[in-house]
């Protein structure tokens, strides 16, 4: 008769050969990390997974079709400097989460199939990877412990934490996010003649363990929760010009580096360059589409067919001079005034063309809004060193013609990029390519740092 373990509980192993199997209500895989007392592998050979199915004393053992393989462990063959064998469950769909399925369970049996221990892994939510249990040495023998430690940062983050070499290692794991604040700010339906005061300390809602579907935007494919938008930057962090609108009237001479749009070919922008949002013939643009794209990190040499996915989020912040007024992002797909519409969240960067699209109706931007800042953040903390082919492009939505494109080359060690901004100069809108990196994983971390991009032109 088997013993049932709860999280943190342990029990002795009286046999030298055991099998660790799992039951999961979604496609998943099992792997093992053989670690020393320091919690690290000695080399990559101490990682047993689908592309390296055997290791010292441990091998993957197929079970019936449709179920994850089991780990067959010969404890007497495990090297003396290996202190623990950690059994890991990874959901095949990196966009899925354990909180959306029935709790998985792990079973330790002898080679005859007699169950020794069972552990139902409760309490998981946003994780797609979990260390189910571990076999560990104690006073010359072996024991089993129920672990249940989830990793929201994903499979690559877990193995990198344990010392496994990955070609492009992601940063360590993301942690559980706190529940959103119930005190979301409210805004008037129509803008005042002059811009409103700064937003009064709302709390940015990070993604909760479980979230409702985006009922207000049924056509959107996004998987992030709806919610209130981030706090305004603190006064004094936004530089000069606080509280003043620009004087009306046309600009003087065009600034250095400004180029013209052409319907015959898209303009390839360099960092810092600007274009005036006029078509050939001087007609002002009215409806524009900002497309942002990237490609997932290349496969690490240990992962074979598994692609390490990166969840980037494109969003736009609306400023009245130095004051944050509104944000269109995965938690609020449409700005309060309806002038900006985010078309939904892409969690991986897979696919050709634009990964995320933001529609802007320039005719509906309230008069007090002076700058639209387009930002991309890396939700799980991977840096842009691990992103290829990042770009933003401006499209005339009335003709579907691409007008300008800015490609980010040579990604840096940042988790956020201010890609571009659209801003008023007199009675005209201009676009400027930025490509400036900083450290932030979501809008709540980014917003207090945006002031320097608003005031420099």
């Amino acid at each position: 008769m088997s013993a049932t373990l709860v999280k943190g509980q342990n029990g002795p192993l009286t046999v030298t050969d055991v099998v660790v199997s799992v039951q999961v209500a979604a496609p998943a895989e099992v792997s093992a990390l053989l670690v020393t007392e320091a919690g690290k592998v000695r080399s990559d050979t101490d990682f047993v997974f689908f592309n390296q199915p055997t290791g010292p004393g441990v091998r993957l053992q197929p079970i019936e079709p449709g179920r994850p393989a089991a780990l067959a462990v010969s404890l007497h063959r495990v090297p003396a400097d290996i202190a623990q064998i950690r059994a890991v469950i990874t959901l095949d769909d990196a966009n899925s989460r354990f909180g959306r399925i029935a709790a998985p369970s792990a079973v330790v049996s002898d080679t005859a199939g007699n169950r020794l221990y069972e552990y139902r892994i409760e309490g998981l939510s946003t994780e797609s990877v979990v260390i189910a249990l571990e076999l560990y040495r104690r006073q010359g023998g072996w024991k089993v412990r129920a672990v249940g430690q989830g990793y929201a940062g994903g499979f690559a983050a877990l193995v990198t934490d344990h010392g496994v070499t990955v070609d492009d290692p992601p940063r360590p794991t993301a942690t559980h996010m706190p529940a959103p604040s119930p005190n979301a700010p409210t805004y008037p339906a129509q803008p005042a003649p002059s811009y409103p005061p700064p937003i009064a300390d709302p709390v940015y809602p990070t993604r909760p363990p479980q979230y409702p579907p985006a009922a207000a935007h049924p056509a959107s494919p996004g998987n992030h929760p709806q919610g209130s938008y981030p706090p305004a930057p603190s006064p004094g962090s936004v530089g000069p010009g606080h509280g003043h609108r620009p004087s009306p009237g046309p600009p003087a001479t065009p600034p250095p580096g400004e180029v013209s749009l052409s319907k015959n070919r898209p303009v390839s922008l360099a960092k810092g360059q600007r274009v005036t949002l006029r078509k050939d013939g001087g007609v002002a643009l009215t409806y524009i589409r900002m497309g942002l794209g990237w490609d997932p990190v290349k496969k690490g040499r240990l992962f074979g067919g598994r692609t390490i996915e990166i969840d980037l989020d494109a969003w736009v912040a609306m400023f009245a001079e130095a004051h944050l007024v509104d944000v269109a992002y995965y938690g609020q797909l449409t700005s309060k005034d309806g002038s900006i519409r985010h078309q939904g969240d892409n969690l991986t960067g897979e696919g050709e063309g634009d990964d995320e699209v933001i529609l802007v109706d320039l005719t509906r931007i309230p008069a007090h809004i002076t700058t639209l800042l387009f930002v991309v953040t890396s939700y799980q903390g991977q840096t842009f060193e691990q992103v290829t082919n990042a770009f933003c492009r401006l499209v005339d939505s009335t003709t579907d013609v691409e007008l300008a494109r800015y490609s980010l080359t040579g990604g840096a060690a940042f988790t956020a990029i201010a890609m571009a901004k659209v801003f008023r100069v007199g009675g005209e809108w201009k676009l400027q390519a930025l490509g400036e990196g900083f450290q932030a994983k979501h809008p709540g971390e980014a917003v207090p740092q945006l002031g320097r991009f608003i005031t420099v032109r």
Side-chain angles (χ1 to χ4, degrees), residues 139-172:
Q139 297 178 347
W142 285 88
K143 302 183 77 172
V144 59
R145 177 187 292 118
V147 178
Q149 177 187 345
Y151 265 67
F155 183 64
L158 179 141
V159 297
T160 304
D161 273 359
H162 287 82
V164 176
T165 302
V166 181
D167 285 349
D168 292 312
R171 297 172 71 138

PDB file of all heavy atoms in Angstrom, residues 139-172:
ATOM      1  N   GLN A 139      22.111  10.014   5.212  1.00  0.00           N
ATOM      2  CA  GLN A 139      22.769   9.075   6.123  1.00  0.00           C
ATOM      3  C   GLN A 139      22.979   7.691   5.482  1.00  0.00           C
ATOM      4  O   GLN A 139      22.623   6.660   6.042  1.00  0.00           O
ATOM      5  CB  GLN A 139      21.972   8.950   7.431  1.00  0.00           C
ATOM      6  CG  GLN A 139      21.886  10.261   8.204  1.00  0.00           C
ATOM      7  CD  GLN A 139      21.062  10.152   9.466  1.00  0.00           C
ATOM      8  OE1 GLN A 139      20.341   9.173   9.674  1.00  0.00           O
ATOM      9  NE2 GLN A 139      21.178  11.134  10.339  1.00  0.00           N
ATOM     10  N   GLY A 140      23.548   7.714   4.297  1.00  0.00           N
ATOM     11  CA  GLY A 140      23.888   6.473   3.623  1.00  0.00           C
ATOM     12  C   GLY A 140      22.751   5.818   2.862  1.00  0.00           C
ATOM     13  O   GLY A 140      22.965   4.812   2.174  1.00  0.00           O
ATOM     14  N   GLY A 141      21.545   6.340   2.957  1.00  0.00           N
ATOM     15  CA  GLY A 141      20.399   5.798   2.241  1.00  0.00           C
ATOM     16  C   GLY A 141      19.778   6.833   1.336  1.00  0.00           C
ATOM     17  O   GLY A 141      20.315   7.927   1.130  1.00  0.00           O
ATOM     18  N   TRP A 142      18.618   6.480   0.780  1.00  0.00           N
ATOM     19  CA  TRP A 142      17.883   7.391  -0.092  1.00  0.00           C
ATOM     20  C   TRP A 142      16.482   7.623   0.440  1.00  0.00           C
ATOM     21  O   TRP A 142      15.877   6.715   1.024  1.00  0.00           O
ATOM     22  CB  TRP A 142      17.785   6.817  -1.512  1.00  0.00           C
ATOM     23  CG  TRP A 142      19.060   6.897  -2.293  1.00  0.00           C
ATOM     24  CD1 TRP A 142      20.068   5.970  -2.316  1.00  0.00           C
ATOM     25  CD2 TRP A 142      19.460   7.954  -3.166  1.00  0.00           C
ATOM     26  NE1 TRP A 142      21.074   6.374  -3.141  1.00  0.00           N
ATOM     27  CE2 TRP A 142      20.729   7.597  -3.697  1.00  0.00           C
ATOM     28  CE3 TRP A 142      18.892   9.153  -3.578  1.00  0.00           C
ATOM     29  CZ2 TRP A 142      21.430   8.389  -4.595  1.00  0.00           C
ATOM     30  CZ3 TRP A 142      19.577   9.958  -4.480  1.00  0.00           C
ATOM     31  CH2 TRP A 142      20.840   9.581  -4.978  1.00  0.00           C
ATOM     32  N   LYS A 143      15.996   8.852   0.237  1.00  0.00           N
ATOM     33  CA  LYS A 143      14.638   9.198   0.629  1.00  0.00           C
ATOM     34  C   LYS A 143      13.964   9.929  -0.530  1.00  0.00           C
ATOM     35  O   LYS A 143      14.617  10.349  -1.498  1.00  0.00           O
ATOM     36  CB  LYS A 143      14.643  10.080   1.883  1.00  0.00           C
ATOM     37  CG  LYS A 143      15.340   9.447   3.081  1.00  0.00           C
ATOM     38  CD  LYS A 143      15.261  10.316   4.324  1.00  0.00           C
ATOM     39  CE  LYS A 143      13.903  10.241   4.980  1.00  0.00           C
ATOM     40  NZ  LYS A 143      13.854  10.932   6.285  1.00  0.00           N
ATOM     41  N   VAL A 144      12.649  10.093  -0.418  1.00  0.00           N
ATOM     42  CA  VAL A 144      11.892  10.849  -1.401  1.00  0.00           C
ATOM     43  C   VAL A 144      11.216  12.012  -0.688  1.00  0.00           C
ATOM     44  O   VAL A 144      10.748  11.867   0.441  1.00  0.00           O
ATOM     45  CB  VAL A 144      10.846   9.962  -2.116  1.00  0.00           C
ATOM     46  CG1 VAL A 144       9.862   9.344  -1.127  1.00  0.00           C
ATOM     47  CG2 VAL A 144      10.084  10.773  -3.176  1.00  0.00           C
ATOM     48  N   ARG A 145      11.179  13.168  -1.345  1.00  0.00           N
ATOM     49  CA  ARG A 145      10.528  14.351  -0.770  1.00  0.00           C
ATOM     50  C   ARG A 145       9.561  14.932  -1.786  1.00  0.00           C
ATOM     51  O   ARG A 145       9.892  15.068  -2.973  1.00  0.00           O
ATOM     52  CB  ARG A 145      11.557  15.409  -0.384  1.00  0.00           C
ATOM     53  CG  ARG A 145      10.915  16.715   0.153  1.00  0.00           C
ATOM     54  CD  ARG A 145      11.935  17.814   0.385  1.00  0.00           C
ATOM     55  NE  ARG A 145      12.826  17.494   1.489  1.00  0.00           N
ATOM     56  CZ  ARG A 145      14.132  17.342   1.374  1.00  0.00           C
ATOM     57  NH1 ARG A 145      14.714  17.448   0.184  1.00  0.00           N
ATOM     58  NH2 ARG A 145      14.878  17.083   2.422  1.00  0.00           N
ATOM     59  N   ALA A 146       8.365  15.305  -1.339  1.00  0.00           N
ATOM     60  CA  ALA A 146       7.390  16.014  -2.180  1.00  0.00           C
ATOM     61  C   ALA A 146       7.805  17.481  -2.253  1.00  0.00           C
ATOM     62  O   ALA A 146       7.906  18.149  -1.224  1.00  0.00           O
ATOM     63  CB  ALA A 146       5.990  15.875  -1.602  1.00  0.00           C
ATOM     64  N   VAL A 147       8.059  18.001  -3.467  1.00  0.00           N
ATOM     65  CA  VAL A 147       8.572  19.366  -3.619  1.00  0.00           C
ATOM     66  C   VAL A 147       7.469  20.315  -4.095  1.00  0.00           C
ATOM     67  O   VAL A 147       7.103  21.259  -3.424  1.00  0.00           O
ATOM     68  CB  VAL A 147       9.774  19.393  -4.588  1.00  0.00           C
ATOM     69  CG1 VAL A 147      10.281  20.834  -4.769  1.00  0.00           C
ATOM     70  CG2 VAL A 147      10.901  18.504  -4.063  1.00  0.00           C
ATOM     71  N   GLY A 148       6.959  20.115  -5.320  1.00  0.00           N
ATOM     72  CA  GLY A 148       5.882  20.966  -5.835  1.00  0.00           C
ATOM     73  C   GLY A 148       6.282  22.397  -6.078  1.00  0.00           C
ATOM     74  O   GLY A 148       5.460  23.303  -5.938  1.00  0.00           O
ATOM     75  N   GLN A 149       7.531  22.651  -6.473  1.00  0.00           N
ATOM     76  CA  GLN A 149       7.989  24.009  -6.737  1.00  0.00           C
ATOM     77  C   GLN A 149       7.771  24.356  -8.195  1.00  0.00           C
ATOM     78  O   GLN A 149       8.382  23.769  -9.083  1.00  0.00           O
ATOM     79  CB  GLN A 149       9.479  24.156  -6.392  1.00  0.00           C
ATOM     80  CG  GLN A 149      10.027  25.550  -6.713  1.00  0.00           C
ATOM     81  CD  GLN A 149      11.532  25.633  -6.540  1.00  0.00           C
ATOM     82  OE1 GLN A 149      12.145  24.767  -5.933  1.00  0.00           O
ATOM     83  NE2 GLN A 149      12.127  26.680  -7.083  1.00  0.00           N
ATOM     84  N   GLY A 150       6.898  25.318  -8.454  1.00  0.00           N
ATOM     85  CA  GLY A 150       6.599  25.717  -9.811  1.00  0.00           C
ATOM     86  C   GLY A 150       7.538  26.784 -10.320  1.00  0.00           C
ATOM     87  O   GLY A 150       8.083  27.571  -9.540  1.00  0.00           O
ATOM     88  N   TYR A 151       7.727  26.800 -11.624  1.00  0.00           N
ATOM     89  CA  TYR A 151       8.555  27.798 -12.288  1.00  0.00           C
ATOM     90  C   TYR A 151       7.705  28.527 -13.320  1.00  0.00           C
ATOM     91  O   TYR A 151       7.316  27.955 -14.324  1.00  0.00           O
ATOM     92  CB  TYR A 151       9.740  27.147 -12.987  1.00  0.00           C
ATOM     93  CG  TYR A 151      11.010  27.130 -12.166  1.00  0.00           C
ATOM     94  CD1 TYR A 151      11.100  26.363 -11.015  1.00  0.00           C
ATOM     95  CD2 TYR A 151      12.117  27.873 -12.554  1.00  0.00           C
ATOM     96  CE1 TYR A 151      12.257  26.337 -10.264  1.00  0.00           C
ATOM     97  CE2 TYR A 151      13.277  27.849 -11.806  1.00  0.00           C
ATOM     98  CZ  TYR A 151      13.353  27.088 -10.660  1.00  0.00           C
ATOM     99  OH  TYR A 151      14.504  27.064  -9.918  1.00  0.00           O
ATOM    100  N   ALA A 152       7.401  29.821 -13.062  1.00  0.00           N
ATOM    101  CA  ALA A 152       6.689  30.619 -14.054  1.00  0.00           C
ATOM    102  C   ALA A 152       7.617  31.051 -15.181  1.00  0.00           C
ATOM    103  O   ALA A 152       7.179  31.426 -16.247  1.00  0.00           O
ATOM    104  CB  ALA A 152       6.064  31.848 -13.393  1.00  0.00           C
ATOM    105  N   GLY A 153       8.925  30.997 -14.943  1.00  0.00           N
ATOM    106  CA  GLY A 153       9.883  31.420 -15.947  1.00  0.00           C
ATOM    107  C   GLY A 153      10.087  30.423 -17.059  1.00  0.00           C
ATOM    108  O   GLY A 153      10.734  30.728 -18.046  1.00  0.00           O
ATOM    109  N   GLY A 154       9.566  29.199 -16.920  1.00  0.00           N
ATOM    110  CA  GLY A 154       9.634  28.232 -17.998  1.00  0.00           C
ATOM    111  C   GLY A 154      10.773  27.244 -17.869  1.00  0.00           C
ATOM    112  O   GLY A 154      11.620  27.294 -16.983  1.00  0.00           O
ATOM    113  N   PHE A 155      10.752  26.299 -18.820  1.00  0.00           N
ATOM    114  CA  PHE A 155      11.679  25.173 -18.837  1.00  0.00           C
ATOM    115  C   PHE A 155      13.133  25.624 -18.896  1.00  0.00           C
ATOM    116  O   PHE A 155      13.990  25.172 -18.135  1.00  0.00           O
ATOM    117  CB  PHE A 155      11.324  24.316 -20.057  1.00  0.00           C
ATOM    118  CG  PHE A 155      12.122  23.063 -20.220  1.00  0.00           C
ATOM    119  CD1 PHE A 155      12.044  22.052 -19.276  1.00  0.00           C
ATOM    120  CD2 PHE A 155      12.930  22.891 -21.329  1.00  0.00           C
ATOM    121  CE1 PHE A 155      12.759  20.882 -19.448  1.00  0.00           C
ATOM    122  CE2 PHE A 155      13.646  21.718 -21.500  1.00  0.00           C
ATOM    123  CZ  PHE A 155      13.559  20.711 -20.558  1.00  0.00           C
ATOM    124  N   ALA A 156      13.449  26.552 -19.797  1.00  0.00           N
ATOM    125  CA  ALA A 156      14.831  27.004 -19.943  1.00  0.00           C
ATOM    126  C   ALA A 156      15.322  27.703 -18.689  1.00  0.00           C
ATOM    127  O   ALA A 156      16.485  27.561 -18.304  1.00  0.00           O
ATOM    128  CB  ALA A 156      14.952  27.926 -21.150  1.00  0.00           C
ATOM    129  N   ALA A 157      14.450  28.480 -18.032  1.00  0.00           N
ATOM    130  CA  ALA A 157      14.849  29.164 -16.807  1.00  0.00           C
ATOM    131  C   ALA A 157      15.191  28.157 -15.713  1.00  0.00           C
ATOM    132  O   ALA A 157      16.166  28.325 -14.970  1.00  0.00           O
ATOM    133  CB  ALA A 157      13.732  30.093 -16.339  1.00  0.00           C
ATOM    134  N   LEU A 158      14.404  27.101 -15.607  1.00  0.00           N
ATOM    135  CA  LEU A 158      14.651  26.098 -14.570  1.00  0.00           C
ATOM    136  C   LEU A 158      15.995  25.415 -14.769  1.00  0.00           C
ATOM    137  O   LEU A 158      16.806  25.323 -13.854  1.00  0.00           O
ATOM    138  CB  LEU A 158      13.524  25.061 -14.563  1.00  0.00           C
ATOM    139  CG  LEU A 158      13.683  23.938 -13.532  1.00  0.00           C
ATOM    140  CD1 LEU A 158      12.339  23.582 -12.920  1.00  0.00           C
ATOM    141  CD2 LEU A 158      14.285  22.675 -14.165  1.00  0.00           C
ATOM    142  N   VAL A 159      16.261  24.920 -15.979  1.00  0.00           N
ATOM    143  CA  VAL A 159      17.499  24.178 -16.182  1.00  0.00           C
ATOM    144  C   VAL A 159      18.707  25.102 -16.098  1.00  0.00           C
ATOM    145  O   VAL A 159      19.779  24.697 -15.637  1.00  0.00           O
ATOM    146  CB  VAL A 159      17.479  23.389 -17.513  1.00  0.00           C
ATOM    147  CG1 VAL A 159      16.371  22.353 -17.490  1.00  0.00           C
ATOM    148  CG2 VAL A 159      17.356  24.292 -18.720  1.00  0.00           C
ATOM    149  N   THR A 160      18.553  26.352 -16.520  1.00  0.00           N
ATOM    150  CA  THR A 160      19.658  27.298 -16.389  1.00  0.00           C
ATOM    151  C   THR A 160      19.967  27.556 -14.923  1.00  0.00           C
ATOM    152  O   THR A 160      21.124  27.664 -14.527  1.00  0.00           O
ATOM    153  CB  THR A 160      19.316  28.619 -17.106  1.00  0.00           C
ATOM    154  OG1 THR A 160      18.991  28.353 -18.465  1.00  0.00           O
ATOM    155  CG2 THR A 160      20.487  29.582 -17.059  1.00  0.00           C
ATOM    156  N   ASP A 161      18.929  27.661 -14.096  1.00  0.00           N
ATOM    157  CA  ASP A 161      19.131  27.826 -12.657  1.00  0.00           C
ATOM    158  C   ASP A 161      19.944  26.682 -12.063  1.00  0.00           C
ATOM    159  O   ASP A 161      20.642  26.858 -11.067  1.00  0.00           O
ATOM    160  CB  ASP A 161      17.781  27.898 -11.934  1.00  0.00           C
ATOM    161  CG  ASP A 161      17.227  29.308 -11.886  1.00  0.00           C
ATOM    162  OD1 ASP A 161      17.906  30.219 -12.394  1.00  0.00           O
ATOM    163  OD2 ASP A 161      16.132  29.494 -11.348  1.00  0.00           O
ATOM    164  N   HIS A 162      19.827  25.502 -12.657  1.00  0.00           N
ATOM    165  CA  HIS A 162      20.535  24.326 -12.142  1.00  0.00           C
ATOM    166  C   HIS A 162      21.885  24.110 -12.815  1.00  0.00           C
ATOM    167  O   HIS A 162      22.514  23.073 -12.618  1.00  0.00           O
ATOM    168  CB  HIS A 162      19.666  23.078 -12.303  1.00  0.00           C
ATOM    169  CG  HIS A 162      18.525  23.029 -11.336  1.00  0.00           C
ATOM    170  ND1 HIS A 162      17.345  23.712 -11.547  1.00  0.00           N
ATOM    171  CD2 HIS A 162      18.372  22.376 -10.155  1.00  0.00           C
ATOM    172  CE1 HIS A 162      16.519  23.476 -10.543  1.00  0.00           C
ATOM    173  NE2 HIS A 162      17.113  22.678  -9.680  1.00  0.00           N
ATOM    174  N   GLY A 163      22.330  25.068 -13.610  1.00  0.00           N
ATOM    175  CA  GLY A 163      23.662  24.996 -14.183  1.00  0.00           C
ATOM    176  C   GLY A 163      23.768  24.351 -15.540  1.00  0.00           C
ATOM    177  O   GLY A 163      24.876  24.141 -16.037  1.00  0.00           O
ATOM    178  N   VAL A 164      22.626  24.030 -16.178  1.00  0.00           N
ATOM    179  CA  VAL A 164      22.666  23.444 -17.512  1.00  0.00           C
ATOM    180  C   VAL A 164      22.995  24.538 -18.528  1.00  0.00           C
ATOM    181  O   VAL A 164      22.445  25.637 -18.467  1.00  0.00           O
ATOM    182  CB  VAL A 164      21.329  22.767 -17.868  1.00  0.00           C
ATOM    183  CG1 VAL A 164      21.348  22.247 -19.292  1.00  0.00           C
ATOM    184  CG2 VAL A 164      21.037  21.644 -16.887  1.00  0.00           C
ATOM    185  N   THR A 165      23.884  24.243 -19.455  1.00  0.00           N
ATOM    186  CA  THR A 165      24.287  25.218 -20.466  1.00  0.00           C
ATOM    187  C   THR A 165      23.260  25.279 -21.578  1.00  0.00           C
ATOM    188  O   THR A 165      22.940  24.263 -22.184  1.00  0.00           O
ATOM    189  CB  THR A 165      25.654  24.852 -21.064  1.00  0.00           C
ATOM    190  OG1 THR A 165      26.614  24.783 -20.001  1.00  0.00           O
ATOM    191  CG2 THR A 165      26.094  25.888 -22.090  1.00  0.00           C
ATOM    192  N   VAL A 166      22.750  26.485 -21.821  1.00  0.00           N
ATOM    193  CA  VAL A 166      21.839  26.738 -22.936  1.00  0.00           C
ATOM    194  C   VAL A 166      22.478  27.810 -23.785  1.00  0.00           C
ATOM    195  O   VAL A 166      23.085  28.740 -23.266  1.00  0.00           O
ATOM    196  CB  VAL A 166      20.454  27.190 -22.426  1.00  0.00           C
ATOM    197  CG1 VAL A 166      19.512  27.435 -23.580  1.00  0.00           C
ATOM    198  CG2 VAL A 166      19.893  26.167 -21.466  1.00  0.00           C
ATOM    199  N   ASP A 167      22.364  27.696 -25.104  1.00  0.00           N
ATOM    200  CA  ASP A 167      23.048  28.646 -25.985  1.00  0.00           C
ATOM    201  C   ASP A 167      22.693  30.088 -25.675  1.00  0.00           C
ATOM    202  O   ASP A 167      23.532  30.955 -25.660  1.00  0.00           O
ATOM    203  CB  ASP A 167      22.701  28.357 -27.452  1.00  0.00           C
ATOM    204  CG  ASP A 167      23.426  27.128 -27.953  1.00  0.00           C
ATOM    205  OD1 ASP A 167      24.327  26.648 -27.236  1.00  0.00           O
ATOM    206  OD2 ASP A 167      23.104  26.652 -29.055  1.00  0.00           O
ATOM    207  N   ASP A 168      21.399  30.362 -25.464  1.00  0.00           N
ATOM    208  CA  ASP A 168      20.942  31.710 -25.136  1.00  0.00           C
ATOM    209  C   ASP A 168      20.142  31.647 -23.861  1.00  0.00           C
ATOM    210  O   ASP A 168      18.925  31.674 -23.878  1.00  0.00           O
ATOM    211  CB  ASP A 168      20.077  32.290 -26.262  1.00  0.00           C
ATOM    212  CG  ASP A 168      20.895  32.545 -27.503  1.00  0.00           C
ATOM    213  OD1 ASP A 168      21.951  33.125 -27.411  1.00  0.00           O
ATOM    214  OD2 ASP A 168      20.458  32.163 -28.564  1.00  0.00           O
ATOM    215  N   PRO A 169      20.773  31.570 -22.682  1.00  0.00           N
ATOM    216  CA  PRO A 169      20.029  31.331 -21.452  1.00  0.00           C
ATOM    217  C   PRO A 169      19.143  32.487 -21.070  1.00  0.00           C
ATOM    218  O   PRO A 169      19.570  33.632 -21.125  1.00  0.00           O
ATOM    219  CB  PRO A 169      21.130  31.136 -20.397  1.00  0.00           C
ATOM    220  CG  PRO A 169      22.299  31.853 -20.953  1.00  0.00           C
ATOM    221  CD  PRO A 169      22.202  31.748 -22.440  1.00  0.00           C
ATOM    222  N   PRO A 170      17.883  32.213 -20.725  1.00  0.00           N
ATOM    223  CA  PRO A 170      17.026  33.269 -20.220  1.00  0.00           C
ATOM    224  C   PRO A 170      17.391  33.626 -18.793  1.00  0.00           C
ATOM    225  O   PRO A 170      18.120  32.912 -18.140  1.00  0.00           O
ATOM    226  CB  PRO A 170      15.622  32.662 -20.289  1.00  0.00           C
ATOM    227  CG  PRO A 170      15.839  31.209 -20.253  1.00  0.00           C
ATOM    228  CD  PRO A 170      17.205  30.946 -20.842  1.00  0.00           C
ATOM    229  N   ARG A 171      16.875  34.737 -18.361  1.00  0.00           N
ATOM    230  CA  ARG A 171      17.133  35.148 -16.995  1.00  0.00           C
ATOM    231  C   ARG A 171      16.347  34.258 -16.046  1.00  0.00           C
ATOM    232  O   ARG A 171      15.457  33.542 -16.443  1.00  0.00           O
ATOM    233  CB  ARG A 171      16.723  36.613 -16.831  1.00  0.00           C
ATOM    234  CG  ARG A 171      17.565  37.516 -17.729  1.00  0.00           C
ATOM    235  CD  ARG A 171      17.026  38.908 -17.712  1.00  0.00           C
ATOM    236  NE  ARG A 171      17.303  39.499 -16.408  1.00  0.00           N
ATOM    237  CZ  ARG A 171      17.720  40.738 -16.262  1.00  0.00           C
ATOM    238  NH1 ARG A 171      17.928  41.495 -17.271  1.00  0.00           N
ATOM    239  NH2 ARG A 171      17.933  41.232 -15.061  1.00  0.00           N
ATOM    240  N   PRO A 172      16.658  34.294 -14.736  1.00  0.00           N
ATOM    241  CA  PRO A 172      15.987  33.413 -13.791  1.00  0.00           C
ATOM    242  C   PRO A 172      14.488  33.618 -13.752  1.00  0.00           C
ATOM    243  O   PRO A 172      13.944  34.537 -14.330  1.00  0.00           O
ATOM    244  CB  PRO A 172      16.638  33.789 -12.447  1.00  0.00           C
ATOM    245  CG  PRO A 172      17.973  34.333 -12.831  1.00  0.00           C
ATOM    246  CD  PRO A 172      17.755  35.034 -14.136  1.00  0.00           C
TER     247      PRO A 172
END
